[in-house]
Amino acid sequence: MLAVSNSDAKKAPFTAPPATDLLCYHCGTPCIGERIAIDDKAFCCDGCKLVYEIINENDLCDYYKLQSHPGLSQVKAIRSDKYAYLDNEDIARQLVQFTDGDHTVVTFYVPGIHCSSCMWLLEHMNRLNEGIKESRMNFSTKEVTIRFSSKAIALRKVVELLATIGYEPYISLDEAGKKKSATFNKQRVFKLGVAGFCFGNIMMMSFPEYLSSATGIEESYALLFRYLNLFLAIPVFFYSASEFFVTAWKGLLQKTLNIDAPIALAIIITFARSIYEILSGTGAGYLDSMSGIVFFMLVGRVVQERTYRSLSFARDYKSYFPIAVNVVTENGLQSTKLQDLKENDVVQLHNDEIIPADSVVVAGKALIDYSFVTGESEPVEIKANALVYAGGKQTGDQLTIRIVKPVAGSYLTSLWNHYAFRKDKAEENDRESVIHVLSKYFTVILFTLAAATAVYWYFVDPSKIINSVSAMLIVACPCALLLSATFTNGNILRLFSNNGLFLRDASVIESLGNADHIVFDKTGTITQGGAAQSVECTGHQLSPAEKDLLYTVVRASKHPNSKSIAEWLGSRDLVQVSAWKEIPGKGIEAYAGADNIMVGSAEFVGVPRNWSQEEKATVYIRINHEITAVHLKSVLRESAAGVMDTLGDNYGMSLVSGDNDKQRSIVAPVFRKNSDLLFEQKPIDKLHYVESLQKKGRSVLMIGDGLNDAGALQQSNVGITISDDINNFTPSCDAILDASKFNLLPAVLRLARASRRLIGLSFAVSLVYNFIGLYFAMRGLLTPVAAAILMPCSTISIVIIATGFSSFVAWRYGLRVSAEK
């Protein structure tokens, strides 16, 4: 820490010359204080300089040519022992995907990936160390897969190399022992390819017989085409359609008819009838219709799945907790897996590290950020021997704690063991879905009509029983109905994603449309997250020259409070600073000529105990002996007033926040007078409030942004997480809303409510086809050719109508129909 003068001598004037606005060659951060440079390239810190030296030494400077200042932020020096736990083979084994004792494969999530330069550098890591054989990056998921020789370079060294060049991987408890599942169902793509190839060829070989129905074609050609079609239909039936059979059978085992049951029934009937007609020589069958059903259903499912393969909707506390911690033993520090922590273990933590279990403070100053646990945004100072809770983040210096409860017994873990986290919302949504109900009853009704038709023809003309009943089951199968729902929902999912709302799956659409009460979190939801805050100053009033100095000092910091102050000051003249240092958890200190400036906590700045102030400030500023208190308060999102006013006309609304009641004056004006505004709410309180609304018959939509909202998000009928970066870590939820598209929330909810009408319209059109087909089939007048033509026509028209109407309605509501370029 730099020396601080507490002299009350008169301040020296600001006579230092203005500084040039020099940006770091690596990350673009303003360079202030001591000049750090190599040749004509300036750097903001030694970390960025080190990265440049590594890249330059390995002839990788094209990294800087692809994009100016490609480093996302300043490269902070890492502690030499930060990744020591990876030397523990048991821990390292949980992260490795494959190893044969030498060749090893591992995949890491790297939040800092943001541009083409990142991709280029990370895919050339083999030039940074010969032990790394290959590295491949998935830009959409921000994951890098590295293949290396464990005999040449240890896993710890690989991770340290990533951190050194500015791409520190995020390693959490959630990754431990979890096998990386494919982010995309490749088997389904293969099935789609097979179905598409066979469907196209079957249709092509069916045309000659359809188009020559009056004159006929030579029997030898007709027989050849029919058997070729049967040959092509076999892989469609046994491979491409297999997932429909499997899920339908699982439903039957549970004594229920799920959405795939009628699809499987239609496929089996069309395939069986086609085999009978081809082998008996009585017709060409319905193989084109069967393969078309499979192809179009798979298309709908693949489109829905592909949109969200890079998003995670099911995170819990394990995604935020470290995989291991340093336990103090008689032999020094020992890396221990989180699951192996026991009561009375003594753990050593550093700045920005998570408290792994409920503990008491043994040594060091505890300045705990509980924003993920309670929602309270201001760090809390905890005295020695006081209790600290799992999930809090230490924002001060080194801290030593003693475990009083194992991880499984901690407060945060007990929240996740609540029954709300054990229920399967997707399964519940599917059971309550109108599509599920319709598919179940439609199948029953169709079987009843088929049985009645069979009875009728048994007494009138028994020769028509097989033809009439099988034609009914084929032409009136519910696939057209299900296709209308699949493609309507698929298009609505696409429209939502174009407008910044990403849903877990199509079942959420109906639940979203049924919601009648919205519960909001405050911080980061209806108020701006990050640096956007209003600023009020008390105490010494800063002069223009002092504001210039303050701006110069805070603009180089990445701390949210520093960003808020810099944004409040606006663009100002820069001052030449001779020394600048940021101390994590405390503040910033700098010198400009004879002047000393400190920005940070009251203790760091040296605020006297008797210094008069109405309330504790967020940040204190000391320029020589003059003290200014800065009060930072949340500000509403620009569109919040309009959004809340529009939603208030159609929904009940409430606020649940972990912050204190002082924030009430900020949010109260945008809520209706009868709205509940609840503050100082713990996560379990939020969950219980949502539950109480549901007991009153409300369908609740919960909108939050942090881990402290996870219980309420899970308990609600629909939970939406709002995020400034949709690829960042978000709590378990049903949907993710891009924070920049918050103003579109009323429109997307309106579209969700309209989805039932859109599906109903598509159903009505498909029912017309079914009624026409049933009329002729029950009378025994439907020929195989007519049935074969009617089914593809109905399918294609349903797809066009479903996508067309939903896109038109979205356009009417002011939503973007096409994706942003």
Side-chain angles (χ1 to χ4, degrees):
M1 177 175 170
L2 300 176
V4 180
S5 173
N6 292 319
S7 173
D8 290 337
K10 184 178 180 181
K11 294 184 293 180
F14 290 90
T15 56
T20 58
D21 194 2
L22 195 62
L23 300 180
C24 175
Y25 183 73
H26 176 71
C27 70
T29 299
C31 299
I32 62 174
E34 180 183 356
R35 180 176 172 80
I36 302 173
I38 298 177
D39 300 326
D40 60 338
K41 300 173 180 63
F43 301 92
C44 63
C45 61
D46 288 323
C48 289
K49 176 188 172 187
L50 174 62
V51 173
Y52 171 78
E53 289 175 334
I54 293 173
I55 292 174
N56 187 44
E57 287 173 4
N58 289 276
D59 195 25
L60 292 170
C61 281
D62 283 346
Y63 172 67
Y64 296 103
K65 295 178 182 178
L66 294 171
Q67 183 167 319
S68 179
H69 313 301
L72 187 61
S73 60
Q74 288 176 306
V75 180
K76 298 180 180 179
I78 61 171
R79 300 192 325 273
S80 59
D81 65 341
K82 182 172 183 178
Y83 294 106
Y85 62 85
L86 293 177
D87 289 334
N88 184 319
E89 291 187 6
D90 289 338
I91 296 173
R93 192 180 302 117
Q94 295 182 73
L95 297 174
V96 170
Q97 291 176 272
F98 168 83
T99 183
D100 61 1
D102 182 18
H103 298 94
T104 305
V105 179
V106 65
T107 297
F108 293 115
Y109 171 71
V110 184
I113 295 171
H114 68 288
C115 67
S116 57
S117 291
C118 303
M119 180 180 291
W120 187 88
L121 180 60
L122 290 174
E123 292 198 341
H124 287 81
M125 288 186 64
N126 59 312
R127 290 163 65 176
L128 298 176
N129 189 295
E130 293 181 354
I132 296 176
K133 304 303 180 183
E134 181 184 42
S135 53
R136 287 287 177 264
M137 199 186 88
N138 185 325
F139 191 83
S140 63
T141 60
K142 295 190 175 183
E143 290 181 332
V144 59
T145 299
I146 301 172
R147 184 171 62 84
F148 64 96
S149 169
S150 57
K151 293 181 179 179
I153 181 172
L155 177 62
R156 174 183 175 180
K157 295 298 181 182
V158 172
V159 174
E160 287 178 342
L161 178 59
L162 282 167
T164 301
I165 62 175
Y167 295 98
E168 185 173 7
Y170 190 94
I171 302 175
S172 68
L173 179 61
D174 193 38
E175 303 299 318
K178 183 175 79 172
K179 297 299 181 183
K180 290 284 183 181
S181 58
T183 56
F184 192 52
N185 191 338
K186 291 183 179 179
Q187 278 296 321
R188 184 173 284 170
V189 176
F190 295 152
K191 292 176 181 178
L192 176 63
V194 171
F197 171 80
C198 296
F199 172 55
N201 283 280
I202 291 172
M203 284 294 294
M204 181 180 68
M205 288 187 286
S206 298
F207 276 133
E209 191 162 354
Y210 293 163
L211 299 177
S212 62
S213 58
T215 59
I217 61 173
E218 290 187 17
E219 184 176 349
S220 58
Y221 286 117
L223 197 61
L224 173 63
F225 290 149
R226 290 174 185 178
Y227 277 97
L228 285 175
N229 286 345
L230 180 58
F231 175 75
L232 290 170
I234 290 173
V236 176
F237 182 82
F238 288 102
Y239 176 64
S240 297
S242 59
E243 67 177 72
F244 302 112
F245 302 140
V246 171
T247 52
W249 179 247
K250 288 179 179 178
L252 290 174
L253 291 177
Q254 297 177 1
K255 299 181 179 179
T256 182
L257 289 173
N258 58 31
I259 196 171
D260 282 344
I263 301 174
L265 176 65
I267 294 170
I268 292 171
I269 291 172
T270 51
F271 187 68
R273 173 67 185 269
S274 298
I275 291 177
Y276 167 76
E277 289 191 2
I278 292 172
L279 295 181
S280 65
T282 57
Y286 305 88
L287 297 175
D288 51 348
S289 298
M290 186 273 291
S291 56
I293 291 170
V294 176
F295 174 70
F296 283 111
M297 291 302 298
L298 288 175
V299 166
R301 295 187 178 188
V302 168
V303 168
Q304 290 180 23
E305 181 184 37
R306 192 175 185 85
T307 306
Y308 308 106
R309 58 177 173 166
S310 64
L311 303 179
S312 176
F313 295 94
R315 294 189 182 277
D316 62 16
Y317 72 96
K318 295 179 182 179
S319 299
Y320 300 85
F321 274 41
I323 190 174
V325 292
N326 289 327
V327 174
V328 180
T329 66
E330 295 179 355
N331 299 321
L333 293 179
Q334 178 179 336
S335 296
T336 304
K337 292 186 294 184
L338 220 63
Q339 301 94 321
D340 294 339
L341 283 179
K342 301 183 297 294
E343 190 174 333
N344 293 321
D345 278 350
V346 177
V347 175
Q348 189 177 94
L349 300 175
H350 297 82
N351 181 61
D352 271 352
E353 291 187 345
I354 299 291
I355 297 171
D358 294 353
S359 313
V360 294
V361 176
V362 175
K365 179 183 175 182
L367 193 62
I368 309 300
D369 176 4
Y370 279 125
S371 58
F372 272 157
V373 181
T374 66
E376 175 61 59
S377 55
E378 294 185 11
V380 180
E381 184 176 344
I382 308 295
K383 303 296 183 181
N385 298 318
L387 192 64
V388 289
Y389 294 97
K393 181 188 291 185
Q394 165 68 346
T395 61
D397 292 330
Q398 182 175 302
L399 177 68
T400 304
I401 58 176
R402 179 172 55 82
I403 305 297
V404 296
K405 289 182 181 179
V407 177
S410 296
Y411 166 73
L412 191 64
T413 311
S414 67
L415 172 65
W416 249 271
N417 290 332
H418 191 279
Y419 69 87
F421 288 89
R422 296 195 293 270
K423 64 181 182 179
D424 189 339
K425 292 175 73 174
E427 185 176 334
E428 288 182 3
N429 289 341
D430 185 53
R431 283 200 303 266
E432 297 169 1
S433 160
V434 66
I435 303 169
H436 178 83
V437 174
L438 181 65
S439 66
K440 179 171 67 175
Y441 288 108
F442 186 92
T443 305
V444 173
I445 293 170
L446 182 58
F447 275 140
T448 303
L449 289 175
T453 302
V455 171
Y456 172 79
W457 286 116
Y458 176 80
F459 293 104
V460 177
D461 187 356
S463 64
K464 292 186 177 182
I465 292 178
I466 296 178
N467 285 337
S468 298
V469 172
S470 60
M472 281 181 64
L473 295 175
I474 291 170
V475 77
C477 79
C479 293
L481 301 177
L482 300 179
L483 275 173
S484 67
T486 299
F487 277 87
T488 299
N489 284 335
N491 195 49
I492 289 175
L493 285 175
R494 180 187 66 84
L495 293 168
F496 279 162
S497 65
N498 289 345
N499 292 276
L501 180 64
F502 302 88
L503 271 59
R504 184 192 66 238
D505 55 47
S507 68
V508 179
I509 298 174
E510 193 169 338
S511 299
L512 195 61
N514 291 335
D516 57 18
H517 193 103
I518 305 178
V519 178
F520 291 92
D521 175 46
K522 183 188 73 68
T523 306
T525 303
I526 60 173
T527 61
Q528 295 274 19
Q533 302 185 59
S534 64
V535 180
E536 295 178 4
C537 295
T538 58
H540 172 67
Q541 296 301 306
L542 299 172
S543 67
E546 289 171 329
K547 288 183 178 180
D548 290 344
L549 176 59
L550 176 62
Y551 176 72
T552 304
V553 170
V554 298
R555 71 193 293 264
S557 172
K558 298 296 183 182
H559 194 282
N561 290 343
S562 297
K563 292 180 179 180
S564 295
I565 295 172
E567 187 176 308
W568 166 66
L569 290 169
S571 181
R572 304 192 67 88
D573 292 333
L574 298 178
V575 174
Q576 187 68 49
V577 177
S578 57
W580 185 94
K581 185 175 183 180
E582 183 170 18
I583 303 169
K586 295 184 177 181
I588 307 170
E589 184 172 12
Y591 285 90
D595 294 285
N596 168 239
I597 178 172
M598 303 180 74
V599 182
S601 66
E603 182 181 1
F604 175 71
V605 169
V607 177
R609 291 181 179 273
N610 60 353
W611 195 72
S612 60
Q613 52 180 330
E614 294 182 3
E615 62 180 78
K616 182 181 177 182
T618 311
V619 181
Y620 292 90
I621 301 167
R622 182 169 188 149
I623 300 180
N624 296 321
H625 65 284
E626 299 288 357
I627 297 175
T628 301
V630 179
H631 302 266
L632 300 176
K633 297 184 178 180
S634 302
V635 296
L636 294 172
R637 294 187 182 276
E638 290 183 8
S639 57
V643 167
M644 304 300 280
D645 184 60
T646 302
L647 293 177
D649 294 334
N650 300 291
Y651 297 88
M653 296 198 301
S654 305
L655 176 82
V656 289
S657 173
D659 282 339
N660 56 53
D661 195 61
K662 296 175 183 176
Q663 308 289 331
R664 181 181 293 271
S665 60
I666 299 172
V667 298
V670 300
F671 281 88
R672 302 295 168 96
K673 291 183 179 180
N674 60 345
S675 298
D676 291 333
L677 303 181
L678 307 177
F679 293 89
E680 299 181 5
Q681 298 292 294
K682 295 179 180 179
I684 194 66
D685 297 328
K686 295 182 179 183
L687 187 155
H688 286 157
Y689 178 73
V690 170
E691 193 173 26
S692 69
L693 290 173
Q694 291 172 326
K695 289 179 179 178
K696 297 176 183 177
R698 299 293 187 127
S699 180
V700 180
L701 164 61
M702 172 70 195
I703 303 179
D705 76 317
L707 187 62
N708 59 297
D709 301 316
L713 289 167
Q714 184 68 17
Q715 176 62 39
S716 64
N717 299 87
V718 184
I720 297 180
T721 295
I722 187 168
S723 177
D724 290 297
D725 184 347
I726 60 172
N727 288 305
N728 278 351
F729 286 109
T730 53
S732 179
C733 59
D734 300 301
I736 300 174
L737 175 65
D738 186 342
S740 65
K741 303 297 178 62
F742 182 73
N743 62 305
L744 297 177
L745 182 61
V748 296
L749 292 180
R750 193 178 174 192
L751 179 60
R753 283 191 166 181
S755 66
R756 289 177 68 97
R757 297 193 299 272
L758 291 169
I759 292 174
L761 178 63
S762 300
F763 277 178
V765 175
S766 60
L767 280 172
V768 170
Y769 284 109
N770 281 328
F771 286 142
I772 293 173
L774 279 173
Y775 173 77
F776 290 102
M778 292 177 72
R779 298 183 64 188
L781 301 175
L782 190 65
T783 65
V785 173
I789 294 174
L790 185 61
M791 285 190 65
C793 287
S794 66
T795 299
I796 294 170
S797 59
I798 287 300
V799 170
I800 294 172
I801 291 170
T803 55
F805 272 106
S806 53
S807 296
F808 174 75
V809 171
W811 174 78
R812 283 286 304 275
Y813 291 166
L815 296 173
R816 179 184 291 275
V817 175
S818 58
E820 292 184 89
K821 296 181 179 180

